[in-house]
């Protein structure tokens, strides 16, 4: 990152982010980009009013002092020459407590206006979606207004109106100012006219509102409040009084302490810029490493630090520097309280929100009960009252506490960074020579005359959506001929680390059984499970291809070296192989991380009453989502009909599914082939373009949906989609089935579908609460255990059907290997089983500790356990056992 780019991130980007925040809130409120720009201007000018008032005060003091010294300076110029004149001038300056550099104080209002102008220009000009959006007489907010047409000549009236308002405001402001000041302001009005004449109407509208706000402010200040105007025109004695006041304040205990403010600003900078982002990276740094993005995860933390430094230290510092003594004292107190509130909110509230995805969105969303919001507010008020008393009685103590907090925050940040770096160093993605990193894409071989076995592990696929997907797209039933769907299938865990081992290795690797083998590390037990089927199929003479085997080596990016000893196994990590081909996707992810690490940190330190609005369903008020909203979305925000961009890692897996047919090779021989593939296409919720359910950079389903709850019926069941998460999960599950259907059609056309056993299975589901009867007394949706299981046996005929037989995903190894001569676990010597292993009670875990980088001992860490005593569809058969280590 260049020095100029660093300066931009510190000075301009924080301003642009807050322009975006207030614009997005306004857009969500009004649904109109034009009104949103007007509201944005009003909000920004109101927030900056104290800053500009202080700047004006300093400028007026400078003008008054210049006026006071003018007679003496004129006498010196008339009486003395050369060095003598210089010496006399300097002496005169000292007598009046004046330094020549003070002349720059008159330029403060202009110097402040420049960064805000540049930030507004860059932000509004970047909003490409304004194109063709109108507002009143403005036909296109992304183009000049061209209101007046005289033959071939198009005149832009809005910039002229802006300039007229600017001149009127300047006339009022400079009524008693010298001619030089008036000329400067009129010249600036002309400069803005030239700069903005051919600019987008949205930008000119924003600046016109700024000038109108300034005009009203000046009219009130200099016309309607003549006493205030009189006080501003007699600042010479006021200056002397202010100097005495500052002298007295400096001798008292209430004098402003620059140290306290600086310490507070540094603490907030470290908290928001390093501590919170580093805690995210420490949890799972591998998720923020992408082959299509050159910068590593620590770059985004550094970027967050620059933004925090710019916002809390630089811009807060500007407000502080321009304030008078009383203002500085208030700012110190406010900084002390802000630091206190930030740590209380971050450390004490906003927990238990579920997994934080790479897009920095929580799986469970962010919503807090009103009772918790009120508790948070009450605690903040109480602490604020007590902290204010402490600040008044012991003004030195906050500085000591801030110093300690700063040191502690830096130590915690350093620890987080060390652990994140250590995890990356140990991970396969950090080694150039590790076999987990392969640039080639596999060939999926199917034999025409031999036998083929395909297992597709579809991470977080939902069994409960399948009947409705096949009802909406009945052609899938024809494509999935021979398949049996088992709707009553359970996983033994609600996350991949607790649900996938049994899927790969059978019942010996359900969580409770892994806990009972207390002398073996979880990593070794999981690697046994993931190698079990490849070893059995290799011994049976199969050629084997594995892709993205979940947590191989117990690392986020699968460590393929665990398969090095298998001669017939070819393992690949293919997730994300085609994502770089998607227009603008890598740039979008990079841009999102640059802004969202900062916004996530700001969200976490805010009071609970604000967190949900800052979080904005994981969009963090990005203008692309707010500006893409419609009246339908505004009326029903939980069921969106539009989406800008493609979120998260969905494309990484979806595009691989889309390419399967192209990379399938048909072998005319009687070879035997085993394919075990993992995909995350159902893991990252996305709104897709109907009716084909495909990703697009701009999705618009308003022609298909009205934003109201959707009721679907299939096989005597009813599904009510009422929330955004339910809708997006339905979309990605539908898209996955359609892409697999496309591949199966290709296999049918090539004559290799009939002699292929296909098993589609998921490691767990997701708590969408689509069926209220599945919610237990503690609020847990046991449908989270209801994973997908679909099987097509070799030479299976007949239509797609559902079988209510109770199954678990631990049945997969038994089903996959039932034609082999050996169904013995090569690592334990025990036989793979199915029916005899489903003896009640069964023990299942809802694990909060889902990161293998943390949960990697010999037993799973203490977590939530449930006991199932019978029919999974009867809530009375479920019992919550509490947080413990089950054996």
């Amino acid at each position: 990152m260049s020095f100029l780019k660093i300066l931009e991130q510190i000075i301009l980007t924080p301003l642009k982010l807050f322009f975006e925040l207030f614009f997005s809130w306004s857009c969500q409120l009004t649904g109109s980009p034009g009104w949103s720009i007007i509201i944005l201007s009003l909000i920004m000018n109101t927030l900056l009013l104290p800053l500009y008032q202080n700047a004006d005060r300093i400028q007026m003091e400078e003008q008054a002092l210049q006026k006071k010294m003018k007679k003496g300076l004129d006498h010196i110029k008339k009486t003395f020459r050369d060095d003598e004149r210089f010496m006399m001038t300097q002496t005169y300056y000292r007598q009046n407590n004046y330094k020549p550099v003070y002349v720059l104080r008159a330029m403060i209002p202009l110097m402040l206006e420049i960064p805000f102008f540049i930030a507004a220009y860059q932000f509004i000009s970047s909003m490409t979606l304004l194109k063709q959006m109108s507002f009143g007489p403005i036909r296109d907010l992304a183009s000049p207004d061209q209101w007046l047409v005289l033959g071939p000549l198009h005149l832009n009236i809005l910039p002229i109106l802006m300039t007229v308002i600017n001149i009127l405001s300047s006339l009022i402001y400079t009524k008693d100012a010298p001619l030089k000041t008036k000329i400067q302001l009129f010249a600036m009005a002309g400069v803005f006219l030239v700069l903005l004449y051919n600019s987008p109407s949205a930008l000119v509208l924003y600046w016109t509102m700024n000038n109108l706000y300034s005009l009203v402010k000046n009219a009130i200040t200099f016309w309607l409040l003549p006493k205030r105007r009189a006080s501003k025109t007699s600042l010479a004695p006021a200056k002397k009084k202010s100097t005495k006041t500052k002298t007295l304040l400096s001798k008292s205990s209430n004098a402003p302490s620059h140290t306290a403010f600086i310490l507070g600003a540094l603490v907030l900078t470290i908290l928001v810029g390093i501590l919170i982002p580093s805690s995210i990276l420490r949890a799972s740094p591998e998720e923020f490493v992408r082959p299509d993005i050159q910068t590593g995860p620590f770059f985004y933390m550094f970027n967050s630090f620059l933004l925090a430094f710019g916002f809390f230290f630089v811009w807060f510092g500007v407000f502080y520097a321009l304030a008078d003594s009383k203002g500085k004292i208030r700012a110190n107190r406010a900084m002390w309280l802000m630091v206190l509130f930030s740590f209380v909110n971050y450390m004490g509230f906003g927990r238990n929100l579920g997994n934080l995805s790479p897009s920095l969105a929580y799986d469970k969303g962010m919503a807090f009960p009103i009772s918790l919001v009120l508790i948070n507010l009450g605690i903040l008020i109480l602490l604020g009252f007590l902290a204010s008393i402490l600040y008044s009685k012991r003004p030195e103590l906050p500085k000591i506490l801030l110093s300690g907090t700063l040191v502690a925050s830096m130590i915690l940040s350093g620890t987080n960074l060390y652990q994140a770096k250590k995890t990356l160093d140990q991970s396969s993605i950090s080694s150039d020579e590790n076999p987990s990193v392969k640039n080639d894409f596999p060939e999926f071989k199917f034999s025409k005359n031999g036998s083929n076995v395909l297992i597709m592990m579809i991470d977080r696929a939902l069994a409960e959506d399948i009947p409705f997907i096949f009802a909406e797209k009945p052609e899938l039933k024809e494509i999935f001929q021979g398949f049996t769907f088992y709707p009553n299938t359970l996983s033994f865990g609600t996350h991949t680390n607790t649900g996938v081992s049994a899927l790969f290795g059978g019942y010996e690797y359900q969580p409770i059984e892994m806990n009972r083998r207390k002398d073996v590390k979880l990593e070794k037990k999981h690697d046994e499970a993931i190698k079990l089927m490849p070893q059995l199929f290799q011994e049976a003479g199969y050629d084997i291809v594995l892709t993205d085997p979940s947590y191989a080596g117990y690392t986020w990016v699968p460590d393929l070296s665990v398969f090095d000893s298998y001669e017939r196994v070819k393992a690949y990590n293919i997730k994300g192989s085609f994502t770089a081909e998607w227009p603008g996707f890598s740039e979008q992810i990079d841009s999102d991380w640059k802004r969202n690490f900062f916004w996530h940190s700001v969200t976490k330190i805010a009071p609970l009453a604000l967190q949900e609005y800052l979080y904005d369903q994981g969009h963090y008020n990005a203008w692309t989502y707010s500006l893409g909203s419609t009246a339908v979305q505004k009326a029903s925000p939980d069921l969106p009909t539009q989406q800008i961009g493609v979120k998260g890692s969905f494309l990484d897996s979806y595009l691989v599914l889309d390419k399967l047919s192209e990379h399938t090779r048909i072998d005319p021989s009687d070879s035997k082939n085993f394919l075990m593939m993992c995909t995350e296409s159902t893991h990252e919720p996305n709104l897709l373009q109907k009716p084909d359910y495909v990703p697009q950079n701009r999705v618009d389903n308003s022609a298909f949906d009205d934003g109201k709850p959707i009721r679907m019926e299939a096989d005597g069941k009813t599904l009510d989609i009422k929330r955004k998460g339910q809708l997006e999960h339905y979309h990605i599950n539908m898209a996955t089935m359609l892409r697999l259907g496309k591949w199966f059609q290709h296999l049918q056309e090539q004559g290799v579908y009939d002699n292929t056993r296909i098993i589609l299975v998921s490691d767990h589901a997701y708590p969408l609460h689509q069926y209220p009867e599945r919610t237990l007394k503690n609020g847990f949706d046991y449908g989270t255990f209801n994973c997908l299981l679909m099987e097509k046996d070799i030479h299976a005929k007949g239509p797609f059907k559902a079988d209510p037989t109770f199954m678990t995903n631990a049945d997969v190894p038994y089903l996959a290997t039932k034609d082999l001569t050996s169904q013995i676990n090569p690592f334990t010597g025990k036989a793979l089983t199915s029916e005899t292993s489903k003896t009640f009670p069964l023990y299942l875990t809802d694990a909060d500790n889902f990161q293998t980088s943390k949960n990697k001992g010999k037993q799973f860490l203490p977590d939530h356990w449930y006991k199932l005593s019978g029919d999974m569809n009867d809530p009375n058969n479920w019992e919550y056992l509490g947080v413990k280590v089950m054996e």
Side-chain angles (χ1 to χ4, degrees), residues 70-87:
K70 186 177 186 305
K71 185 176 180 180
L73 290 173
D74 289 343
H75 175 72
I76 291 173
K77 289 179 182 179
K78 183 178 179 181
T79 308
F80 303 100
R81 295 287 184 273
D82 302 327
D83 291 344
E84 192 177 16
R85 175 192 292 178
F86 175 78
M87 295 298 294

Side-chain angles (χ1 to χ4, degrees), residues 597-882:
F597 267 95
F598 172 75
W599 273 126
H600 176 79
S601 299
V602 172
T603 300
K604 297 299 290 183
I605 69 169
L608 292 190
L610 285 178
Q611 285 192 19
E612 187 175 348
Y613 298 98
L614 290 169
Y615 177 72
D616 186 33
Q617 298 180 337
H619 301 148
Y620 296 98
N621 293 285
W623 68 264
T624 50
Y625 293 97
S626 300
L627 198 55
S629 64
T630 63
V632 171
Q633 284 177 273
K634 182 173 179 290
S636 182
D638 288 333
L639 283 185
T641 60
Q642 295 185 351
Q643 177 177 289
I644 306 299
V646 186
K647 294 185 293 183
S649 60
F650 172 73
L651 279 182
D652 288 342
S653 298
Y654 175 86
L655 293 178
V656 169
L657 293 183
D658 196 46
K659 299 283 187 179
L660 290 178
S661 298
E662 299 178 24
H663 292 271
T664 297
R665 181 173 73 85
I666 307 303
D667 184 1
S669 71
D670 59 355
S671 64
K672 296 183 290 185
N673 303 284
F674 174 63
L675 284 75
M676 190 170 78
M677 309 173 66
C678 299
T679 180
E680 297 178 10
S681 58
T682 53
H683 197 280
E684 190 75 12
N686 271 267
L687 196 69
L688 304 175
Q689 184 60 56
K690 297 177 71 173
D692 298 323
Y693 292 92
V694 294
Q696 290 185 178
N697 283 333
R698 183 169 186 176
V699 170
D700 185 357
N701 288 328
S702 55
F704 304 95
D705 299 323
D706 58 4
K708 298 178 181 178
I710 300 171
R711 167 160 288 195
M712 308 178 73
E713 295 185 358
D715 300 336
K717 294 183 177 180
T718 300
L719 174 65
D720 289 320
I721 297 179
K722 300 178 179 179
R723 294 188 295 274
K724 176 175 178 284
Q726 296 172 339
L727 180 66
E728 292 182 334
H729 275 85
Y730 181 84
H731 276 221
I732 58 176
N733 278 268
M734 170 68 84
T736 298
M737 290 297 116
L738 291 174
R739 291 304 93 191
L740 289 175
K742 174 187 172 183
W743 190 30
F744 295 163
Q745 277 186 308
H746 179 73
L747 298 181
Q748 292 166 7
E749 294 167 357
Q750 299 300 316
V752 295
Y753 181 80
D754 187 52
N755 63 322
T756 301
R757 174 178 292 119
I758 304 174
I759 299 175
L760 307 180
V761 60
S762 63
D763 51 347
H764 57 89
Y766 190 72
L768 291 175
H769 295 274
Q770 297 186 136
Y771 297 100
E773 63 272 16
R774 286 187 167 188
T775 300
L776 301 180
K777 292 180 180 180
N778 65 348
F780 176 71
D781 176 11
Y782 65 79
T784 313
F785 292 116
N786 188 193
C787 63
L788 172 71
L789 179 60
M790 299 168 64
E791 181 206 15
K792 185 199 80 69
D793 209 346
I794 292 176
H795 304 306
K797 303 293 183 182
F800 174 85
K801 63 181 180 180
D803 184 340
T805 300
F806 175 66
M807 304 287 282
T808 78
N809 59 5
D811 290 320
V812 168
Y814 177 83
L815 295 174
T817 61
K818 61 186 177 182
D819 291 336
L820 303 184
T821 56
S822 173
Q823 283 189 295
I824 303 297
N825 184 334
F827 304 103
T828 65
K830 296 181 180 180
L832 298 178
T833 58
S834 177
E835 292 301 324
T836 57
S837 299
K838 292 195 285 286
T839 303
F840 296 108
L842 297 175
Y843 296 92
L844 308 91
T845 180
D846 175 31
D848 289 332
N849 299 295
F850 51 84
Q851 298 103 336
T852 56
S853 59
K854 294 181 179 179
N855 204 345
K856 59 180 181 180
K858 294 182 179 180
Q859 292 181 310
F860 290 106
L861 295 172
D863 246 315
H864 304 276
W865 283 86
Y866 293 84
K867 181 172 75 172
L868 176 62
S869 302
D871 180 9
M872 60 172 281
N873 295 306
D874 184 352
N876 295 319
N877 290 328
W878 290 88
E879 180 184 354
Y880 177 57
L881 302 177

Side-chain angles (χ1 to χ4, degrees), residues 302-322:
F302 176 65
N303 186 80
S304 180
F305 166 75
L306 294 179
L307 295 175
F309 180 77
F311 182 67
F312 294 109
F313 195 85
V314 175
W315 283 110
F316 274 28
V318 169
F319 274 82
Y320 183 81
L322 294 179

Side-chain angles (χ1 to χ4, degrees), residues 57 62 200 221 248 253 255 325 399 407 420 532 633 686 776 839:
R57 172 181 55 79
E62 169 63 23
T221 302
L248 291 173
S253 60
S325 295
K399 287 193 287 188
V407 173
L532 185 147
Q633 284 177 273
N686 271 267
L776 301 180
T839 303

Side-chain angles (χ1 to χ4, degrees), residues 113 117 162-163 166 187-197 207:
E113 200 158 335
F117 170 76
M162 174 199 72
T163 305
N166 197 355
M188 283 302 302
V191 169
F192 275 103
L193 174 61
V194 174
L195 289 175
L196 297 179
Y197 184 77
W207 217 254

